[in-house]
Amino acid sequence: MAEATSIIAGYYRDPQAFSDACAAATAAGHKPQAFTPYPIHGLEAKLGISRSLIGRPVLTVILIGFALGLFLCYFTQYQNWPLNVGGKPYFSWPTFVVVILETGLLLGALTNMGVALHMCRLLPDPHTKLINDRITDDTFALVLPLANRAEADSKSSWLKGHGAEEVQVLCVESPAAAVVEAAHV
Amino acid sequence: MTTLQSNDASEVKLTASQITDDITRPIFTKPPLLWHGAIAATQGLAGLLVIAIAFYVIEGYGIFGVNQPVNWGNDITTYIFWIGIAVAGTLVSSVLFLFRQQWRTAVNRSTEAMTVFAVQIAGLFPLIHTGRPWVDFWLMPYPNDRLLWPNLKSAIVWDVFALTAYATTSIIFWYYGLIPDFATVRDRATNKWQRMIYSVLAMGWRGNAKDWVHYERAYSQFAWIATPLVIGMHSTIAILAAVGKVPGWHATIFGPYFVSGAIFGGLAMALVFLIPMRSMLKLQLYITIDHLEKLAKVMLVCGLIVSYVYLMEYFAAWWSESTYERHQFLYRPLGNWWFAWWIMMTCNVVIPQLLWFKAIRRNLFALMGIAIAVNIGMWFERFVIISLSVMQDHLPSSWDASFSFRTFDWFILGGSFGLFFFFILGFVRVVPVISIAEIKSTLLKPHKNRDGHHG
């Protein structure tokens, strides 16, 4: 289904016009995807993107990390090999605070990285090619899926009517990612 | 802040592509001769560190000047010095981020780089200090042959945990912030290999609006995680001294004292390389005198806290009526190493008072001079606290006779500076020194600067 993987991209230089077009495309039910060189605040609301929930796994892991740190201290200092240090109790919790805190936060930081990379689908890739190189520079791309070839003209004029400076029809491997191996149709 | 404040505060309209060009220029152009010279010089200096470590592995710890009762000499002093430098970078990247200080955007990437390099250099010193660095893995808790665990009640082991967690988090946080910028470099690279390398580093970043939502969320979470880590890191070092019953170390004020001292010295180090960097890379529009002045103001505040503690320590020594405390605090300015204390006081208390004057804060030569003085002062501060406190123990026959600063002490001290500036010089040619995506979103807000970026 070559047609199912066709997309049309409208390019903008003006972030304001781009944001307005995103809102209009969402309202018109075009299922747009937006690509921007830098984050635009408020854009996610216009595109109907819900807020990121990646705080939850990270917080969970931090709490588990605290428990693990406590367990490490309890097991090594009290259970496995109790060592008398200056006649202090074997389980002297105030001396464990640093270990508990650092273990939890380190695991939290690693999880934060892992979850963020996973959610953004980031993996080392030596041949990344975006639909347009200027997306990481000064150009905003509003990408709409094309159900068939005939839709290209109507959506092209829709994009131009909503301020697109340039419109391009592309055939991509994966419409969801809309990135790799873009080729002109 | 939607417009850039240039040196004469006139408004300069910038376009997104101009920002990209300006910041990625050092990556795509050939470095000047001066850069090659600086790289060679710093590399040579860093070579001294390598030589010293090689000799140390062969000959043993005796090549350094430490001896009873001064077991903590140059290596631990330099360790704490570099950790302090690292702390200031995290202050800019995390604490100022959480306080929504947008001016940090101009300097956060380079101060984070400073953190990453300084923390690695710092980490070398305790590893050297153990005496047998090839068995340093014994510091980590793992099930071993003898079924022994490290003593987790020991402040030394806390430090292992704090440094490991802090260094790891700083490095991944820095890399995480670089991902969109690596993508920008990737898409502008014309050389095949360059494009491939930056493509791997950018991990396929696309700039999808959905990704930005997750990205920004995780970024602020990193800041939330790094803030307690950095305070914990330097407080742990402070506790390491404070739990010891040594006059001069045994003070409850050490936590905030060390943290503010670290920020003080670290921002001074940031100024030392930011001032030449901004003019050599022609980034005066982005790293403005206003930004440097703000750094100087934070430095002044931390300097005042440090000065307060210097005086407070004397008050506490007098008030405690402890013979040994009083002896220690009189020994510092009047003993054999009197000059260390006087350099510390001059560089950290007297000279920074010049920062009260706006004209001096905005004069780059003056600022650079003060920053260098503070760096010197902060090294001596750690030397005064760490080494001078143990110089005179309870056995007067060993007083002052044994400790000295030997050739290899100079090698590891000078070599650590060489390595640091070698890293910085490399960094400015391969990594965007200002966060491109962040500075664009700060400077090009759509509602205010609507027509400002059509070029």
Side-chain angles (χ1 to χ4, degrees):
Chain A
M1 291 269 290
E3 282 172 335
T5 57
S6 290
I7 55 162
I8 184 163
Y11 298 119
Y12 295 76
R13 294 285 177 81
D14 182 0
Q16 190 61 52
F18 174 72
S19 299
D20 296 343
C22 284
T26 312
H30 287 322
K31 293 186 181 146
Q33 284 197 63
F35 296 86
T36 64
Y38 53 88
I40 299 178
H41 292 276
L43 189 66
E44 63 276 11
K46 290 175 182 166
L47 287 164
I49 300 170
S50 49
R51 98 193 176 88
S52 174
L53 296 179
I54 63 176
R56 293 174 188 193
V58 175
L59 182 64
T60 312
V61 170
I62 290 177
L63 295 176
I64 292 171
F66 288 159
L68 278 175
L70 180 63
F71 175 74
L72 177 76
C73 296
Y74 169 79
F75 178 74
T76 61
Q77 310 296 303
Y78 183 83
Q79 187 80 35
N80 191 250
W81 193 289
L83 188 70
N84 188 328
V85 180
K88 296 185 184 75
Y90 294 126
F91 189 82
S92 43
W93 69 267
T95 61
F96 300 151
V97 168
V98 175
V99 173
I100 293 169
L101 200 73
E102 302 291 341
T103 311
L105 292 176
L106 174 63
L107 292 178
L110 292 170
T111 310
N112 194 30
M113 184 75 171
V115 173
L117 295 185
H118 174 73
M119 294 307 283
C120 302
R121 289 160 291 133
L122 297 180
L123 272 177
D125 169 15
H127 302 292
T128 312
K129 186 90 183 76
L130 302 192
I131 51 171
N132 188 326
D133 274 351
R134 298 191 72 83
I135 284 177
T136 53
D137 180 8
D138 64 346
T139 300
F140 303 84
L142 180 58
V143 172
L144 309 177
L146 288 181
N148 52 56
R149 197 72 186 82
E151 236 185 25
D153 291 337
S154 65
K155 283 196 173 164
S156 171
S157 51
W158 187 92
L159 281 167
K160 281 185 176 155
H162 283 84
E165 293 174 23
E166 203 188 322
V167 174
Q168 197 182 15
V169 178
L170 297 155
C171 192
V172 291
E173 256 180 19
S174 146
V179 263
V180 265
E181 299 304 320
H184 291 265
V185 173
Chain B
M1 196 172 72
T2 52
T3 48
L4 277 169
Q5 288 158 324
S6 71
N7 296 350
D8 55 349
S10 68
E11 291 188 355
V12 179
K13 298 237 171 181
L14 278 164
T15 66
S17 65
Q18 192 193 334
I19 294 175
T20 315
D21 281 343
D22 286 347
I23 297 173
T24 57
R25 190 181 304 114
I27 300 171
F28 296 120
T29 50
K30 282 216 162 93
L33 204 59
L34 185 64
W35 182 85
H36 288 286
I39 272 279
T42 53
Q43 215 168 4
L45 208 52
L48 296 180
L49 181 66
V50 178
I51 292 169
I53 292 173
F55 263 85
Y56 154 66
V57 169
I58 297 164
E59 293 288 326
Y61 202 62
I63 65 167
F64 301 120
V66 287
N67 208 338
Q68 288 289 4
V70 185
N71 294 304
W72 284 10
N74 171 43
D75 46 2
I76 298 298
T77 301
T78 311
Y79 161 60
I80 299 179
F81 174 79
W82 284 113
I83 279 292
I85 305 292
V87 165
T90 313
L91 171 95
V92 175
S93 68
S94 302
V95 181
L96 295 185
F97 176 82
L98 296 178
F99 282 110
R100 302 282 179 268
Q101 294 296 310
Q102 292 197 339
W103 61 272
R104 79 180 253 294
T105 312
V107 292
N108 77 317
R109 171 67 46 73
S110 31
T111 51
E112 282 167 32
M114 177 178 87
T115 296
V116 168
F117 304 146
V119 80
Q120 293 178 60
I121 293 165
L124 267 179
F125 286 91
L127 295 182
I128 292 174
H129 181 77
T130 55
R132 280 181 285 168
W134 47 92
V135 289
D136 277 344
F137 61 91
W138 286 357
L139 290 164
M140 302 309 274
Y142 71 101
N144 56 38
D145 290 351
R146 293 158 302 147
L147 304 169
L148 288 170
W149 299 98
N151 174 18
L152 299 182
K153 292 169 197 151
S154 155
I156 303 273
V157 179
W158 300 346
D159 207 30
V160 175
F161 276 78
L163 185 65
T164 313
Y166 174 59
T168 312
T169 306
S170 309
I171 292 167
I172 60 173
F173 186 18
W174 189 54
Y175 178 66
Y176 184 73
L178 275 164
I179 290 174
D181 287 1
F182 279 144
T184 303
V185 179
R186 169 196 71 199
D187 294 339
R188 297 177 74 78
T190 43
N191 177 303
K192 183 186 153 205
W193 284 101
Q194 206 172 24
R195 190 169 181 117
M196 218 142 118
I197 291 166
Y198 282 103
S199 185
V200 170
L201 289 171
M203 303 231 256
W205 177 260
R206 298 167 283 263
N208 193 325
K210 269 184 198 154
D211 295 352
W212 277 120
V213 173
H214 292 305
Y215 178 87
E216 290 208 289
R217 177 82 198 157
Y219 192 93
S220 85
Q221 281 170 194
F222 263 125
W224 280 109
I225 293 170
T227 304
L229 269 181
V230 67
I231 296 170
M233 167 77 239
H234 222 61
S235 304
T236 305
I237 293 184
I239 295 168
L240 204 136
V243 295
K245 272 191 180 172
V246 173
W249 290 2
H250 199 53
T252 48
I253 206 168
F254 262 38
Y257 172 24
F258 272 40
V259 173
S260 53
I263 295 166
F264 181 48
L267 292 182
M269 181 60 95
L271 287 174
V272 166
F273 75 85
L274 280 174
I275 292 171
M277 186 187 92
R278 70 189 274 279
S279 42
M280 286 175 128
L281 303 182
K282 301 190 174 57
L283 294 172
Q284 290 97 331
L285 272 181
Y286 302 93
I287 304 171
T288 63
I289 300 221
D290 285 352
H291 295 136
L292 300 178
E293 193 189 354
K294 284 194 169 84
L295 289 177
K297 281 181 183 167
V298 180
M299 215 171 100
L300 176 61
V301 171
C302 294
L304 291 174
I305 298 174
V306 169
S307 309
Y308 164 77
V309 178
Y310 291 165
L311 299 177
M312 201 54 184
E313 280 188 315
Y314 275 86
F315 173 76
W318 169 74
W319 187 252
S320 70
E321 296 194 347
S322 156
T323 315
Y324 304 109
E325 283 280 339
R326 286 182 176 181
H327 175 82
Q328 168 58 219
F329 284 94
L330 284 178
Y331 171 74
R332 288 182 180 181
L334 304 172
N336 278 10
W337 295 82
W338 56 271
F339 58 89
W341 187 88
W342 287 100
I343 292 174
M344 168 187 104
M345 281 312 223
T346 315
C347 293
N348 292 352
V349 180
V350 181
I351 294 176
Q353 303 311 319
L354 293 170
L355 294 173
W356 285 105
F357 303 101
K358 194 180 176 78
I360 289 178
R361 285 198 305 266
R362 299 186 73 88
N363 180 325
L364 294 183
F365 286 101
L367 206 52
M368 184 83 178
I370 294 169
I372 291 172
V374 168
N375 268 306
I376 295 169
M378 284 311 290
W379 189 87
F380 275 101
E381 181 208 285
R382 274 64 175 251
F383 182 71
V384 166
I385 297 170
I386 297 301
S387 300
L388 260 56
S389 296
V390 289
M391 208 69 88
Q392 296 198 331
D393 64 350
H394 295 289
L395 194 66
S397 61
S398 54
W399 284 6
D400 296 326
S402 49
F403 179 78
S404 61
F405 223 80
R406 293 209 192 153
T407 314
F408 285 108
D409 285 308
W410 289 110
F411 274 29
I412 57 169
L413 176 60
S416 70
F417 278 89
L419 194 58
F420 177 77
F421 286 108
F422 173 70
F423 282 150
I424 291 284
L425 286 165
F427 152 75
V428 299
R429 306 302 316 189
V430 294
V431 173
V433 294
I434 295 172
S435 175
I436 303 174
E438 244 183 89
I439 203 150
K440 278 180 194 163
S441 60
T442 309
L443 297 178
L444 306 170
K445 281 194 178 149
H447 54 283
K448 293 229 175 115
N449 210 8
R450 210 178 151 148
D451 301 311
H453 48 275
H454 281 291

